[in-house]
Amino acid sequence: MTASRGRTGRPPLTETRRAEIRREIARAAVELFVTQGVASTTGEQIGRAVGLSARTVWRYFPSKESCVTPLFSEGVDAVSAFLRQWPPGRPLREAVDRWLTEGADIAGGPDRGIVGALVRLTRTEPGLRAVWLRTHDEAEQAFARALAERSALPADDLRVTTRAAMFNAALRAAVEHHAWHGDRAPEERDAAGAELVETLRQALAVAAQGVG
């Protein structure tokens, strides 16, 4: 009877490392999209920029446009987590103010400049626009679940889904408004960040007022 052989080859990647690779691919894809356009960018080029094969890129993403998904989704994931963690007995407006004060991760955090360039591309690139809108469609469901937990209501309750829709629309409108008003030089990025926070604050205030 022969002894069983141990597994050979590379050890499996951790979830943290997989997430890092997805972000690296996303950043590389955006840089290529900005410099040469989406149509002229190939999976091979995206992979080469991060030291991967195109086949490996396609293991992580189904299309070149979807490569940017992490840069869109990480922000809304952070907002959902913040909403869930905020004490139910405290006004939600306080949570929003606290979130904005702490950096407004919806804008991309350290990747803010890249995300801004990416959102600008969604005006002219239908494939990227579809990814952007799909991300916010999924975000709306996540926001509804977070708001439902706070209010002890079902996630499909009309009051919850309406609030989630308004919250989601305000976030998207603010980020688009800020991004579409042009890029900033590196020395002006801090001022641009403050302007984005103020734009988000204004948009969320309008949503809080409701339709009237």
Side-chain angles (χ1 to χ4, degrees):
M1 186 173 184
T2 59
S4 60
R5 295 180 179 178
R7 293 185 62 183
T8 61
R10 297 179 179 179
L13 296 175
T14 65
E15 287 302 315
T16 299
R17 181 54 187 152
R18 286 178 60 84
E20 290 174 351
I21 292 173
R22 286 172 60 85
R23 284 193 295 272
E24 291 170 6
I25 293 172
R27 295 187 191 103
V30 175
E31 290 179 3
L32 288 167
F33 292 162
V34 170
T35 57
Q36 64 186 35
V38 176
S40 299
T41 298
T42 66
E44 287 77 9
Q45 291 174 328
I46 296 172
R48 193 180 309 126
V50 291
L52 300 173
S53 67
R55 184 176 180 181
T56 301
V57 171
W58 303 141
R59 288 197 192 111
Y60 284 91
F61 301 100
S63 68
K64 60 184 178 183
E65 291 87 354
S66 67
C67 288
V68 305
T69 300
L71 294 175
F72 285 151
S73 62
E74 287 182 358
V76 294
D77 289 345
V79 178
S80 296
F82 196 94
L83 291 177
R84 288 194 301 270
Q85 294 167 7
W86 191 253
R90 304 281 295 278
L92 186 59
R93 184 170 298 179
E94 289 184 9
V96 171
D97 287 341
R98 176 74 173 273
W99 167 64
L100 291 174
T101 301
E102 292 184 354
D105 287 341
I106 188 72
D111 290 322
R112 179 175 294 165
I114 297 175
V115 173
L118 180 54
V119 175
R120 282 190 289 279
L121 281 176
T122 64
R123 298 188 79 175
T124 57
E125 296 288 350
L128 295 180
R129 183 69 178 173
V131 175
W132 173 240
L133 295 178
R134 183 171 65 248
T135 300
H136 273 276
D137 183 61
E138 295 170 355
E140 190 169 308
Q141 299 173 42
F143 294 157
R145 290 192 293 270
L147 293 173
E149 290 179 16
R150 291 182 49 82
S151 57
L153 291 170
D156 61 353
D157 184 274
L158 181 59
R159 291 163 291 182
V160 171
T161 56
T162 300
R163 290 167 185 157
M166 294 176 67
F167 185 72
N168 185 42
L171 293 177
R172 181 171 64 83
V175 173
E176 289 179 350
H177 178 85
H178 184 266
W180 294 350
H181 278 69
D183 196 6
R184 291 292 189 114
E187 64 272 15
E188 297 177 320
R189 289 284 164 77
D190 288 343
E195 289 177 6
L196 174 56
V197 169
E198 182 57 30
T199 302
L200 285 162
R201 197 183 303 277
Q202 292 176 15
L204 291 169
V206 172
Q209 293 171 3
V211 180

